[in-house]
Amino acid sequence: MGMLLVTLFLPLLGFLAVLFINNDQSKGIKYTALGVSLLSFFASLFLYFGFDHTQSSFQFTMNAMWIPTLDAGFRVGVDGMSLLMVLLTTFITPIAILCSFGSIQKREKEYYAWMLLLQFGMLGVFVAMDTFLFYVFWELILIPMYFLIGIWGGKDRIYAAVKFFLYTLVGSLLMLVAIVWLGIYAQGLPGGHFTADLMKLREIAPTIPLEIQKWLFLAFALSFCIKVPLFPFHTWLPDAHVQAPTAGSVILAGVLLKMGTYGLIRFNLELFPQAMFEYATPIAWLAVVGIIYGALVAMVQTDIKKLVAYSSVSHLGFVVLGICSMTPEGLQGAIIQMVNHGLSTGMLFLCVGIIYERRHTREISEFGGITKVMPKFAVLFTIAMLASVGLPGLNGFVGEYLTLLGGFTSPFLNNHWLSIISATGVIFAAVYLLWMFQRVMFGTNDNPKNHGLHDLTASEYWQLIPITILIIWLGVYPKTFMVISEQSTQALVGKLETLKFGKTIYPLVEKKAQAQK
Amino acid sequence: MNKSMIDLIYLVPLLPLIGFFITGLFGKKQKSEALIGGIASAAVGGAFVVTALIFMTLVGHGSEERSHIVRLFTWMQAGSFTIDVSYQVDQLSILYTLIITGIGTLIHIYSIGYMHGDKSFPRFFAYLNLFIFMMLNLVLASNFLLTFLGWEGVGLCSYLLIGFWYERKFDGSFIVWTGDAAKKAFIVNRIGDFGVLVAMFLMYNQFHTLDYTAVNAQAAAGFQPGATLITTITLLLFLGCTGKSAQIPLGVWLPDAMAGPTPVSALIHAATMVTAGIFLIARNATMFALSPTTMAVVAGIGVATALTAALVGLVQNDIKKVLAYSTVSQLGFMFIALGVGAFTAGVFHVMTHAFFKALLFLGSGSVIHGMHEEQDIQKMGGLKKYMPITYKTFFIGTLAIAGIFPFAGFFSKDEILWNAFSQGHWVLWAVAVIAAFCTAFYMFRLLYLTFGGKERFDHHHIHPHESPKTMTFPLIVLAFLSVVGGFLGIPYALSIGGSIPNLLEHWLEPIFAPAMEILRRPEVHEVHAIEYGLMAASLMIAILGILLARSYYKNASDQPQAMANRFSGIYKLLWRKWMLDEVYQYFIVDVFYTISNGFLWKIFDVKIVDGVVNGTARSIASASELLRKIQSGIAQNYAIMMMVGIVAILVWLGLGT
């Protein structure tokens, strides 16, 4: 329990500490921020080692009453899925802070303070076991992100920041309505009272009449699908990414988008399974459209960052497809794909940032033959690109393959075409990424402005290397991480199957056992 | 002790992997080329030694005990889906492994000489080692997914090595840089991989496993020949094969893959990677045998590719492109064999082709090296006196590919032709014979234009010279193999009444036995007079091709141009490779690009989706703008509003009562 609080509150303390450092203490501010985020990372490692992955329940739990009349409490804890998200957050944040050292020149104190507050918010979202607490953290994130884009962003930063803010807010207000409705429903039950306790709501929610469940489902789903973003709610993403500073993009792609898919599992799937059965197919189709659509639109981009942004739409489509499959393969694939996407797309944004730093442009046509002047960078950029392409042996493949397999074999979706069409996404991924890569990195270095580019600095090197190691690790031996969420996924799928088919069917297990005899 | 020897199989892929890390991570700082090349070659050579020892162990076993599974660790697991990294050591995989590590070692040694002085020398060897690692995973895997790892992995290495000289231009249709060719290879292969991916979903959905043995056994037990599901699965797998093994319709990448350094062309794009498609079918012979439709498609695509590629080979003037098209054509022969159910013959041709095509490519590399990077055979001629070893070995390779007795190519090609004919596919046979005729013709055209006749190069700038020993040594070894390799698979008709055993067929027999059972193909041990006749006929046709080439090109210097003028129409079509690249570019690539750019992005995304978003925001803003006018700050207006409100309420109340 203690370590969870330490992990969670260190960034908040860091936020306050940074505020008390003098404005001109640039170094002090930077290293405080970096140090705090690293400490939070080390604290989260204790969670990893202390977590009992043979259990499906929430662990490191804590419950403190906050608003008694609403039965809203400071209830936190992690199950396998949320632990992975926590680890992803604590891993990505120090890297994002480190990559800002050179590029952020103005109002540094505010910047690093916002970064730490952002981390606090993200961690809160993943550990909250209380609907009100979740909502507070969910909205808390908007504020630092709004300022990060709006102050340190590119040319159209104000437009992008406002768009990001409003877009997300529209969804989350509906979620708030649903949260309140849930509490009131609990109150109306015999002997019940208003509650925001997620554990209690898990018991109660499935008893809600299906017609109402559907509305609640949609209210939550809209909020999450905007965050993911699921096609056609994605248009805030390219703008936000292009305008955000590199660290903002890294956090956005690395962690923020996963809040959407995390929410889909945590709330939509766990609270309203019957409604999920109704809506899984249409949502899965939107995911499939997003996979292809995102890839095709990424293909024709002339700005590298926008290309990577659209690729996120495509990649997150796999996650949503896996969630909708409601199979152990699909869900485990979706969870690991969230981590994978955070790593590989985060790294791609770092790479884009590295060349943007040097040239102050991201137009593909401005580049060519960069490999010659930046050979080290070329190697790491290649690995990030290939991970994103989904090359077996690197992390992206594991997630993509399992989500597609889940989608294909799902008894809930019961439609092979979803996965077959999605699988063409692997072709398009190769097209847009390889084509971009070839135009930027291969050929002769003709543009005189690119002649003097220097290779990776030590700092840049240390941003990319840790991610690279994980990319390979997850590709070769994903078990280290997948085992964490295995039990919670199995338990969830078991529940869903009982509800739908009247028994826990592990049809594949049985048949496989037979096949081996 | 024997069992533990087989367990050492993990060393075979591990050694090249270690080599990759050493050369990749530390190569850059190391000045000595000999050390880097030596480490890389030793890694593959070591793998070859281990493989040879395991092979000997297997030979010592009875033929029923030659299949072993060596499990290393669990790669992926979710729900009931489990995939292990585990290797299947059996007759088929060990044969492939011998070829890969054996020829791989030779080509590594050759590359030390060929890549001498290249500024990215260590990077080249790192990639080569990585390739060997991936290729070994492909053939040693005991399940589809691990093969798929190798499958895409060799594609990656092919990509990296085609684009190795990333600053160089390369002339091809819609291709400017070597990087374009690399990208094309990867993407075209990905289209094929899509087929493999979906096939794996179907198989897992049906059989709940992706292990080769289980899948094939269950397919044979649970399905009648002709079952739709099996046909679908095998056709999808075959789509992958057409990508990797450069068959119609996905063969367009291979000729452009020649943008890579020549040892790469020899190793990846001739001897090993491109035969992965044959491996995949041979590995799943049982399943393929269950689908007559797929078998017919395999044979049909094979023969069509064999002929069309051979025809294009007739007009090429780039020494490597001639060889590239001949590779495509020879791969077509292998698919003919598989398609008619002659799996052993297909694998046999993989082996002999690996010998002579690696030889020919390395020979061409030696020529290019000696000619200061010149690749146009119109600008060569008379090289035999400058490069005697290259010439002699190249000559042997040419005889082998042309199918002249007793060189390796004769036996394997003849085996394929005979199988096609004896199964009643005489059309296949006839077309294949035409392709074989073309092969003999264009190969000798190549030989004469390169080594014979007048010297057509500029003596002031080019001083042809023989290559160093590191390069000629592999040539000699491969030439030797190209001479004797065929004797491993002597057809029964030439075995002097069965007294010389067909070693290869005997070795592979247990692998293909279940497939043969499905195909109801009993072992035939009787000699047909017609077999001798056909053998003689195909030999005659090869000789005819050679003589024809000799008459045109022996001494002529301007012949390519003269031929081009004489057959200008067909020549143009062949020169542009049946216009396939153009068709793909205009009807697929451009269409996708135009729709994505013109509609999906600029209209649908920006105008429609974002239009709705921004429109909503704007309409709220303008509504507020209207409402704002009410808040004018003028007290009189507020008073009027208040009055109107009071009156409205009174009226409403009045109506209510």
Side-chain angles (χ1 to χ4, degrees):
Chain A
M1 181 201 98
M3 268 306 157
L4 187 65
L5 290 185
V6 173
T7 312
L8 176 63
F9 281 106
L10 264 173
L12 185 65
L13 291 176
F15 163 74
L16 294 172
V18 167
L19 289 183
F20 282 102
I21 302 176
N22 216 334
N23 254 332
D24 49 16
Q25 296 287 325
S26 167
K27 265 199 169 159
I29 292 168
K30 286 176 185 170
Y31 285 101
T32 308
L34 181 64
V36 167
S37 62
L38 278 174
L39 281 177
S40 175
F41 171 65
F42 290 125
S44 69
L45 286 183
F46 282 93
L47 297 179
Y48 171 81
F49 288 110
F51 188 79
D52 178 3
H53 54 68
T54 60
Q55 301 293 320
S56 66
S57 54
F58 279 86
Q59 299 175 29
F60 309 104
T61 51
M62 181 193 167
N63 188 348
M65 191 47 74
W66 176 24
I67 313 173
T69 45
L70 297 179
D71 189 23
F74 183 80
R75 301 187 176 93
V76 292
V78 286
D79 70 348
M81 174 175 65
S82 35
L83 178 56
L84 279 174
M85 293 300 114
V86 166
L87 289 169
L88 179 67
T89 310
T90 57
F91 177 77
I92 293 282
T93 310
I95 293 173
I97 288 177
L98 183 59
C99 89
S100 314
F101 278 15
S103 57
I104 300 300
Q105 311 277 338
K106 61 171 181 183
R107 299 162 79 172
E108 286 172 310
K109 180 162 140 178
E110 279 172 74
Y111 178 87
Y112 292 101
W114 287 132
M115 284 296 274
L116 289 170
L117 190 65
L118 185 60
Q119 185 182 15
F120 174 64
M122 295 187 295
L123 289 172
V125 163
F126 293 131
V127 300
M129 290 167 63
D130 180 287
T131 50
F132 265 75
L133 191 64
F134 177 83
Y135 187 76
V136 168
F137 280 122
W138 179 271
E139 296 290 30
L140 175 64
I141 286 162
L142 288 182
I143 299 159
M145 201 64 206
Y146 174 79
F147 286 116
L148 285 175
I149 298 176
I151 297 175
W152 293 273
K155 198 159 59 71
D156 293 324
R157 55 184 180 269
I158 301 296
Y159 169 73
V162 172
K163 194 173 180 180
F164 162 79
F165 194 96
L166 289 182
Y167 225 128
T168 329
L169 196 68
V170 168
S172 42
L173 286 177
L174 284 173
M175 178 166 77
L176 181 63
V177 174
I179 288 174
V180 172
W181 203 100
L182 273 173
I184 293 173
Y185 179 82
Q187 199 171 18
L189 291 177
H193 56 88
F194 192 100
T195 187
D197 185 343
L198 191 60
M199 291 301 110
K200 281 187 202 150
L201 290 173
R202 270 188 178 186
E203 308 291 320
I204 296 168
T207 65
I208 300 170
L210 183 60
E211 280 311 305
I212 297 167
Q213 246 194 64
K214 281 187 185 170
W215 285 107
L216 294 172
F217 179 95
L218 289 177
F220 275 102
L222 182 68
S223 171
F224 298 139
C225 290
I226 287 174
K227 203 83 177 179
V228 169
L230 190 71
F231 173 89
F233 309 111
H234 62 275
T235 53
W236 64 269
L237 185 74
D239 287 317
H241 266 313
V242 171
Q243 299 304 327
T246 299
S249 289
V250 171
I251 296 272
L252 196 56
V255 185
L256 243 61
L257 305 187
K258 279 77 207 182
M259 287 166 30
T261 44
Y262 172 82
L264 279 177
I265 299 177
R266 181 64 77 228
F267 291 90
N268 288 84
L269 205 48
E270 291 184 351
L271 290 183
F272 316 112
Q274 282 111 332
M276 186 69 184
F277 300 149
E278 301 280 320
Y279 290 119
T281 302
I283 294 179
W285 274 114
L286 284 181
V288 174
V289 172
I291 290 171
I292 309 297
Y293 179 86
L296 288 177
V297 176
M299 181 174 77
V300 295
Q301 297 305 314
T302 56
D303 178 308
I304 311 173
K305 211 171 176 188
K306 221 166 185 175
L307 185 149
V308 180
Y310 275 105
S311 84
S312 286
V313 178
S314 185
H315 282 117
L316 267 298
F318 287 102
V319 179
V320 176
L321 177 64
I323 294 172
C324 291
S325 80
M326 293 179 269
T327 56
E329 293 87 350
L331 275 171
Q332 279 287 78
I335 292 169
I336 208 69
Q337 181 70 357
M338 292 188 216
V339 178
N340 289 337
H341 176 265
L343 296 173
S344 49
T345 306
M347 184 159 162
L348 278 178
F349 276 123
L350 285 173
C351 290
V352 175
I354 284 167
I355 49 177
Y356 181 76
E357 279 300 292
R358 286 157 174 71
R359 281 294 323 286
H360 295 283
T361 177
R362 292 182 296 251
E363 281 297 311
I364 295 175
S365 55
E366 284 283 315
F367 297 99
I370 301 298
T371 306
K372 188 175 168 104
V373 280
M374 300 175 71
K376 273 188 204 156
F377 171 72
V379 173
L380 295 173
F381 193 18
T382 309
I383 294 173
M385 188 253 321
L386 293 169
S388 198
V389 167
L391 192 84
L394 300 179
N395 61 353
F397 177 70
V398 180
E400 269 176 30
Y401 186 80
L402 289 174
T403 49
L404 288 173
L405 185 72
F408 196 88
T409 55
S410 167
F412 297 95
L413 296 172
N414 212 1
N415 187 344
H416 291 342
W417 287 105
L418 289 163
S419 282
I420 295 176
I421 297 172
S422 304
T424 59
V426 305
I427 304 173
F428 295 122
V431 175
Y432 64 78
L433 281 165
L434 261 57
W435 191 33
M436 176 274 287
F437 193 82
Q438 186 250 329
R439 285 177 291 169
V440 173
M441 302 304 290
F442 291 159
T444 47
N445 189 347
D446 286 335
N447 191 337
K449 290 179 196 157
N450 295 334
H451 285 179
L453 302 188
H454 58 93
D455 207 348
L456 295 181
T457 63
S459 158
E460 287 163 344
Y461 205 64
W462 288 110
Q463 294 157 31
L464 299 180
I465 287 294
I467 307 184
T468 309
I469 291 172
L470 277 181
I471 280 178
I472 296 170
W473 187 345
L474 271 154
V476 176
Y477 199 69
K479 207 177 165 185
T480 327
F481 302 94
M482 292 184 70
V483 76
I484 299 177
S485 58
E486 194 170 339
Q487 288 308 320
S488 35
T489 307
Q490 288 284 8
L492 174 60
V493 173
K495 230 165 70 181
L496 294 170
E497 284 172 341
T498 318
L499 205 58
K500 174 88 177 176
F501 303 105
K503 56 175 178 168
T504 44
I505 44 160
Y506 290 105
L508 302 180
V509 183
E510 287 164 29
K511 280 187 196 162
K512 193 174 182 188
Q514 279 169 6
Q516 278 167 348
K517 275 173 203 168
Chain B
M1 182 260 164
N2 282 348
K3 183 75 181 89
S4 61
M5 188 67 232
I6 287 165
D7 284 339
L8 289 183
I9 191 71
Y10 72 89
L11 281 176
V12 175
L14 184 65
L15 286 171
L17 185 66
I18 293 172
F20 162 68
F21 279 115
I22 294 176
T23 48
L25 292 179
F26 310 112
K28 193 133 204 206
K29 299 210 175 75
Q30 178 51 247
K31 289 279 171 287
S32 161
E33 284 185 358
L35 185 67
I36 294 163
I39 288 172
S41 309
V44 185
F48 176 71
V49 172
V50 177
T51 312
L53 291 173
I54 293 173
F55 173 70
M56 301 310 281
T57 315
L58 286 185
V59 170
H61 288 191
S63 67
E64 298 304 313
E65 296 160 22
R66 285 176 183 158
S67 184
H68 302 266
I69 303 278
V70 181
R71 205 190 147 273
L72 297 183
F73 62 91
T74 299
W75 178 20
M76 263 188 228
Q77 206 218 328
S80 55
F81 176 79
T82 307
I83 289 289
D84 290 338
V85 172
S86 78
Y87 294 135
Q88 177 164 356
V89 184
D90 66 5
Q91 295 93 327
L92 181 66
S93 64
I94 206 75
L95 183 68
Y96 257 87
T97 307
L98 279 172
I99 296 172
I100 293 159
T101 52
I103 293 185
T105 309
L106 291 173
I107 292 176
H108 274 70
I109 295 170
Y110 176 94
S111 304
I112 297 175
Y114 190 84
M115 297 304 287
H116 170 67
D118 195 286
K119 66 182 167 56
S120 298
F121 191 88
R123 186 163 61 95
F124 182 80
F125 280 90
Y127 289 168
L128 273 195
N129 269 343
L130 182 66
F131 168 78
I132 298 280
F133 167 75
M134 289 296 184
M135 191 69 207
L136 290 171
N137 273 295
L138 194 162
V139 298
L140 284 169
S142 76
N143 59 61
F144 279 95
L145 207 62
L146 188 58
T147 290
F148 192 69
L149 172 119
W151 188 272
E152 289 241 310
V154 292
L156 163 71
C157 298
S158 165
Y159 168 79
L160 293 171
L161 284 160
I162 295 169
F164 181 77
W165 287 317
Y166 56 87
E167 288 179 283
R168 291 195 190 178
K169 297 214 173 199
F170 181 76
D171 186 27
S173 342
F174 309 102
I175 280 175
V176 180
W177 304 97
T178 57
D180 292 315
K183 181 195 72 187
K184 179 177 176 182
F186 195 90
I187 291 170
V188 171
N189 268 296
R190 267 260 157 145
I191 297 171
D193 296 352
F194 162 76
V196 181
L197 211 52
V198 177
M200 285 195 290
F201 294 147
L202 278 169
M203 284 185 283
Y204 184 73
N205 197 40
Q206 183 64 36
F207 305 119
H208 311 293
T209 172
L210 288 177
D211 287 346
Y212 284 122
T213 325
V215 166
N216 279 287
Q218 289 186 50
F223 289 90
Q224 291 300 313
T228 318
L229 181 68
I230 301 295
T231 302
T232 314
I233 290 171
T234 46
L235 280 177
L236 284 166
L237 288 175
F238 181 60
L239 179 65
C241 300
T242 60
K244 199 109 287 182
S245 297
Q247 299 295 290
I248 295 171
L250 297 181
V252 287
W253 63 272
L254 185 59
D256 293 323
M258 298 302 125
T262 307
V264 172
S265 312
L267 178 64
I268 301 184
H269 304 120
T272 55
M273 183 185 84
V274 289
T275 64
I278 288 91
F279 170 80
L280 192 66
I281 295 180
R283 182 47 96 207
N284 298 291
T286 314
M287 233 189 330
F288 276 81
L290 279 170
S291 174
T293 314
T294 307
M295 294 293 269
V297 170
V298 172
I301 293 280
V303 78
T305 311
L307 181 66
T308 50
L311 288 172
V312 176
L314 295 174
V315 302
Q316 297 300 315
N317 289 327
D318 180 314
I319 186 167
K320 284 179 70 180
K321 281 203 176 156
V322 177
L323 293 175
Y325 279 101
S326 104
T327 304
V328 176
S329 173
Q330 296 298 312
L331 291 166
F333 274 92
M334 298 170 204
F335 281 106
I336 297 174
L338 301 174
V340 301
F343 298 106
T344 309
V347 175
F348 187 22
H349 202 55
V350 166
M351 187 182 79
T352 58
H353 177 257
F355 297 153
F356 61 67
K357 189 53 68 66
L359 168 61
L360 290 169
F361 261 118
L362 294 185
S364 78
S366 177
V367 170
I368 295 165
H369 189 76
M371 291 289 291
H372 312 284
E373 305 297 313
E374 180 58 73
Q375 295 189 199
D376 189 343
I377 49 177
Q378 290 169 302
K379 296 176 186 155
M380 294 181 185
L383 293 182
K384 64 179 162 193
K385 76 170 180 213
Y386 300 101
M387 312 180 168
I389 301 174
T390 304
Y391 167 66
K392 280 175 202 153
T393 52
F394 200 92
F395 188 43
I396 291 171
T398 310
L399 287 170
I401 193 175
I404 301 301
F405 182 85
F407 296 91
F410 166 79
F411 292 97
S412 53
K413 192 185 285 182
D414 204 68
E415 184 89 2
I416 293 170
L417 291 174
W418 166 242
N419 270 290
F421 190 88
S422 66
Q423 298 301 324
H425 306 294
W426 61 270
V427 177
L428 284 183
W429 176 85
V431 179
V433 165
I434 298 172
F437 168 79
C438 295
T439 308
F441 180 83
Y442 67 69
M443 282 310 299
F444 273 84
R445 168 181 177 265
L446 179 65
L447 186 78
Y448 286 125
L449 286 175
T450 308
F451 294 100
K454 276 192 285 232
E455 298 169 12
R456 296 184 297 277
F457 48 88
D458 180 356
H459 280 278
H460 296 291
H461 296 103
I462 294 178
H463 312 282
H465 58 84
E466 184 58 284
S467 298
K469 284 213 177 62
T470 47
M471 290 169 69
T472 50
F473 166 71
L475 291 179
I476 294 166
V477 177
L478 287 167
F480 173 74
L481 290 171
S482 302
V483 177
V484 303
F487 290 96
L488 290 170
I490 296 194
Y492 190 76
L494 294 181
S495 66
I496 322 175
S499 57
I500 309 174
N502 186 332
L503 294 173
L504 193 76
E505 191 177 294
H506 194 66
W507 177 251
L508 289 174
E509 203 239 307
I511 297 278
F512 300 129
M516 288 300 148
E517 212 167 287
I518 293 164
L519 294 172
R520 297 169 203 284
R521 221 40 87 66
E523 250 182 277
V524 187
H525 279 299
E526 50 186 291
V527 185
H528 298 272
I530 194 164
E531 193 175 349
Y532 292 115
L534 289 176
M535 225 177 259
S538 68
L539 199 55
M540 289 307 298
I541 280 164
I543 292 170
L544 197 68
I546 294 170
L547 292 177
L548 199 62
R550 184 185 158 88
S551 73
Y552 277 125
Y553 299 108
K554 180 83 201 295
N555 294 309
S557 56
D558 56 347
Q559 271 302 338
Q561 208 42 55
M563 291 283 273
N565 295 339
R566 192 180 323 165
F567 303 102
S568 63
I570 180 86
Y571 180 88
K572 267 187 198 144
L573 188 62
L574 293 179
W575 178 245
R576 300 182 69 170
K577 313 155 205 163
W578 305 101
M579 313 279 282
L580 211 53
D581 278 319
E582 283 80 358
V583 170
Y584 287 169
Q585 181 72 29
Y586 297 134
F587 291 97
I588 299 176
V589 179
D590 286 355
V591 170
F592 265 107
Y593 185 85
T594 312
I595 292 177
S596 303
N597 192 40
F599 177 71
L600 288 182
W601 179 34
K602 290 188 176 151
I603 292 181
F604 188 79
D605 212 63
V606 175
K607 295 258 160 63
I608 297 179
V609 181
D610 226 20
V612 171
V613 174
N614 289 332
T616 312
R618 254 197 302 275
S619 47
I620 291 174
S622 45
S624 313
E625 197 68 26
L626 277 179
L627 287 175
R628 199 183 70 137
K629 298 223 166 81
I630 300 169
Q631 304 289 328
S632 56
I634 303 169
Q636 289 96 321
N637 286 355
Y638 292 166
I640 293 168
M641 295 289 289
M642 206 168 82
M643 283 305 291
V644 172
I646 290 168
V647 170
I649 291 170
L650 288 176
V651 170
W652 186 66
L653 286 175
L655 288 178
T657 55

